[in-house]
Amino acid sequence: MSLLTLLPGAHNDILVMPRWPSKQVLVDELTWQKLQAAQASLPAHLGLLLTRAYEPAVTELGRARTVFRRMGIWLFGMLYPHRKDEIDDIFGSNGHDLDGTHIDVSITIHGRRVRLLPLSVFTPISWQARRIKKFNADLVLVQTALAAQGFQLHRNATESLQIHCDLKPVLQ
Ligand SMILES: [Zn+2]
């Protein structure tokens, strides 16, 4: 598996916007090809935006993520005491520390980024529901395009809006 280093900006038809404090996205080459194929199958008004892929745990970025994660878990527990069973799904590294086949994607509609989670993972479920309703048609198109290329969406509702997905290994 080979990794590509993508700097912020447009790469073919996909925008790369590394999530702070990252300055680049390291992505598996096949995963990137599949993402481009997904983009190519979408109607012209819909764009994919790549924000996160491989983040090795031992780097400064990995350590920063660990600190954010601890603070995040604490805050999430305060805000949503009844959603504690989601903490592993939301704050786990979800494979980002393993390899570049685990990615977070956002979408643009007519070139404007759609904030499905305006308060990140702390966005209340009721707000999420309103946004899903508003953007549902486009969201379904994106999810279908990703699934057709072999991506699996995260099972947690909040993570799936992130849009965290994993390229499924091809069974030989
Ligand atoms: Zn993710």
Side-chain angles (χ1 to χ4, degrees):
M1 239 192 290
S2 60
L3 276 178
L4 299 172
T5 302
L6 302 175
L7 296 173
H11 296 259
N12 298 325
D13 289 328
I14 298 176
L15 261 181
V16 173
M17 285 181 73
R19 192 190 306 170
W20 187 86
S22 190
K23 295 186 177 65
Q24 58 193 21
V25 176
L26 297 175
V27 66
D28 163 67
E29 195 171 357
L30 179 65
T31 305
W32 176 240
Q33 283 167 14
K34 298 280 188 188
L35 196 62
Q36 289 187 52
Q39 172 68 67
S41 73
L42 288 170
H45 72 282
L46 279 175
L48 297 176
L49 201 152
L50 179 64
T51 62
R52 222 183 146 192
Y54 181 45
E55 298 184 335
V58 292
T59 57
E60 206 167 307
L61 175 64
R63 280 191 285 269
R65 292 274 185 247
T66 306
V67 173
F68 295 153
R69 196 174 300 145
R70 279 194 205 126
M71 297 192 307
I73 289 171
W74 176 81
L75 182 59
F76 193 86
M78 299 283 286
L79 290 171
Y80 304 112
H82 56 289
R83 291 175 62 195
K84 284 220 165 86
D85 56 336
E86 290 182 60
I87 283 178
D88 279 351
D89 275 344
I90 293 178
F91 293 98
S93 51
N94 287 319
H96 289 293
D97 57 341
L98 296 178
D99 59 50
T101 65
H102 311 273
I103 57 174
D104 288 356
V105 176
S106 256
I107 59 177
T108 59
I109 299 180
H110 296 294
R112 290 186 58 180
R113 185 170 181 180
V114 177
R115 299 272 179 188
L116 293 169
L117 295 172
L119 297 180
S120 174
V121 296
F122 305 105
T123 309
I125 297 280
S126 59
W127 292 23
Q128 294 183 26
R130 229 178 300 153
R131 272 162 191 267
I132 292 172
K133 206 169 160 193
K134 183 170 171 194
F135 296 111
N136 193 48
D138 286 325
L139 213 49
V140 169
L141 284 176
V142 168
Q143 289 167 346
T144 308
L146 289 169
Q149 295 303 325
F151 287 102
Q152 189 154 29
L153 234 68
H154 201 285
R155 60 179 180 169
N156 178 270
T158 301
E159 272 303 302
S160 75
L161 285 184
Q162 186 117 283
I163 300 167
H164 178 97
C165 53
D166 313 289
L167 186 65
K168 279 183 282 188
V170 182
L171 298 174
Q172 307 277 355

